């Protein structure tokens, strides 16, 4: 029986509606600053979608674009300016950044209470210790999608393929927090297929089409495809197309994790504003 597709577009639309209602009810100024450095077309599209979602939810957009030749000092100066701007309650610096920029230093420069991407070590540390504050948007969106489809995580075997700080590692931690037994795979994992075949839940975050093939999937497994690769045939994920003949639940690409990432970003943006308006306590002040 072909897999049931997990409809991220539909769930994200519902979440965005909820966020819009929440923003209207809260009645506090909420502003999201997006920073785009350089002219990477994919990054420009992602940032525009985030801004559009913001406007639709009643969040004020502040967009800044810097040339690809921007220096570390110039970018840090912009982050400092946005940290100090009270109208800006959330800051998102779109990654990847040009080679001359030290990405980790830029992320560390963002005030953790405005870090709506959840990449700052303070927020990553709270997540590690099981005390979530602002969670990385893609992993948070994945978890919301799994919850929506009533995926039983407690006691399950979960395999995450990819160990990036933004996607793979935090997704593994969030699955662990839900009592899954988690294996985290990467480019040096021997016999990836044998490991993935053990999984009740597979999350593929590699960035290589067909990194996960149908033969690697246990029949009936839940498969989350995070990958986005642009090809002549459009966007493709990390999971081979014929996996839908084997999986029980599967996210489409596009229309699965991508929309949920934006929805989770909006949730974070509201949460960050609540922290700044004293409506929620940020751990450690
Ligand atoms: P990344 O930083 O490039 O990380 C890729 C990971 O895959 C690395 O940990 C790498 O291992 C691992 N890997 C590479 N080749 C492998 C192989 N043959 N077998 C097993 N593991 C392998 O990428 P990312 O930022 O996590 O993103 C992953 C994908 O998700 C990309 O396609 C990206 O565009 C997409 N993405 C989508 C969304 C969304 O909203 N849908 C959001 C973020 C990212 P090593 O660590 O050993 O190098």
């Amino acid at each position: 029986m072909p897999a049931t597709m997990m409809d991220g577009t539909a769930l994200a639309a519902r979440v965005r509606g909820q966020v819009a209602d929440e923003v209207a009810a809260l009645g506090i100024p909420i502003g999201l600053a997006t920073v785009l450095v350089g002219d990477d077309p994919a990054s420009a599209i992602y940032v525009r979608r985030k801004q559009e979602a913001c406007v639709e939810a009643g969040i004020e957009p502040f967009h800044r674009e810097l040339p690809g030749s921007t220096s570390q000092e110039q970018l840090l100066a912009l982050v400092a300016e946005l940290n100090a701007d009270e109208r800006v309650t959330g800051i998102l610096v779109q990654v990847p950044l040009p080679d001359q920029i030290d990405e980790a230093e830029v992320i560390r420069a963002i005030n953790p209470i405005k870090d709506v991407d959840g990449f700052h070590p303070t927020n990553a540390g709270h997540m590690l210790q099981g005390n979530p504050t602002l969670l990385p948007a893609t992993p948070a969106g994945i978890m919301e999608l799994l919850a929506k489809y009533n995926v039983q995580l407690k006691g399950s075997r979960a395999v995450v393929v990819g160990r990036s700080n933004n996607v793979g590692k935090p997704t593994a931690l969030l699955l662990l927090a839900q009592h899954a037994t988690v294996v985290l795979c990467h480019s040096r994992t021997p016999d990836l297929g044998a490991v993935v075949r053990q999984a009740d839940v597979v999350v593929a975050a590699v960035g290589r089409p067909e990194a996960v093939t149908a033969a690697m999937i246990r029949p009936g497994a839940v498969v989350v495809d995070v990958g986005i690769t642009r090809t002549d045939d459009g966007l493709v994920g990390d999971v081979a197309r014929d996996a839908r003949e084997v999986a029980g639940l599967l996210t489409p690409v596009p229309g699965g994790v991508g929309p949920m990432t934006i929805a989770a970003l909006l949730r974070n943006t509201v949460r960050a504003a609540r922290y700044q308006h004293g409506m929620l306590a940020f751990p450690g002040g």
Side-chain angles (χ1 to χ4, degrees):
M1 201 167 62
T4 299
M5 301 309 274
M6 291 188 267
D7 189 345
T9 305
L11 178 57
R14 264 203 295 286
V15 172
R16 284 162 64 162
Q18 285 167 7
V19 170
D21 291 347
E22 196 182 346
V23 169
L26 274 173
I28 54 173
I30 307 181
L32 174 65
T34 47
V35 178
L36 179 63
V37 186
D39 51 11
D40 176 53
S43 292
I45 293 170
Y46 296 146
V47 167
R48 197 172 60 238
R49 288 201 186 130
K50 290 168 186 173
Q51 286 292 359
E52 285 167 0
C54 235
V55 171
E56 181 197 282
I59 294 166
E60 192 175 356
F62 296 88
H63 181 56
R64 304 293 283 268
E65 276 185 31
L66 298 175
S69 58
T70 298
S71 69
Q72 182 80 6
E73 291 66 34
Q74 286 166 324
L75 184 51
L76 289 174
L78 174 58
V79 170
E81 180 194 323
L82 296 171
N83 279 339
D85 188 338
E86 286 187 1
R87 298 167 306 159
V88 172
T89 51
I91 301 172
L92 180 154
V93 179
Q94 184 68 35
V95 293
L97 291 164
D99 289 348
Q100 75 277 12
I101 303 283
D102 177 347
E103 195 170 294
E105 188 186 18
V106 173
I107 289 167
R108 282 196 303 272
I110 297 171
N111 183 344
I113 214 166
K114 295 189 176 189
D115 167 41
V116 290
D117 251 341
F119 295 164
H120 191 285
T122 295
N123 289 313
H126 287 310
M127 178 181 55
L128 179 72
Q129 295 188 346
N131 185 19
T133 47
L134 297 167
L135 292 174
T138 300
I142 292 170
M143 297 307 288
E144 186 150 3
L145 199 53
L146 293 174
K148 165 72 187 161
Y149 282 84
N150 297 316
V151 174
Q152 171 70 32
L153 294 173
K154 188 174 175 182
S156 72
R157 290 163 300 182
V159 171
V160 180
V161 190
R163 58 174 165 181
S164 69
N165 286 335
N166 303 352
V167 187
K169 270 188 229 167
T171 301
L173 283 172
L174 294 180
L175 290 165
L176 185 64
Q178 293 301 315
H179 314 294
T181 299
V182 183
V183 176
L184 188 49
C185 301
H186 46 79
S187 65
R188 271 77 144 193
T189 300
D191 200 352
L192 183 68
V195 181
V196 174
R197 258 189 302 279
Q198 300 290 315
D200 304 306
V201 178
V202 180
V203 178
V206 180
R208 288 172 40 144
E210 313 220 340
V212 173
T213 64
M216 292 180 178
I217 294 168
R218 204 177 56 74
V222 176
V223 180
V224 177
D225 190 350
V226 185
I228 303 176
T229 304
R230 278 160 212 284
T231 70
D232 293 342
D233 298 330
L235 294 184
V236 297
D238 289 341
V239 178
R241 276 194 77 77
D242 55 355
R244 63 188 60 191
E245 304 305 327
V246 187
L249 282 170
L250 176 64
T251 58
V253 177
V257 174
M260 289 308 298
T261 295
I262 293 185
L265 168 71
L266 293 185
R267 281 210 196 282
N268 270 355
T269 304
V270 174
R271 190 172 177 91
R274 283 178 178 269
Y275 284 135
Q276 283 154 75
H277 285 270
M279 301 164 109
L280 268 180
F282 192 78

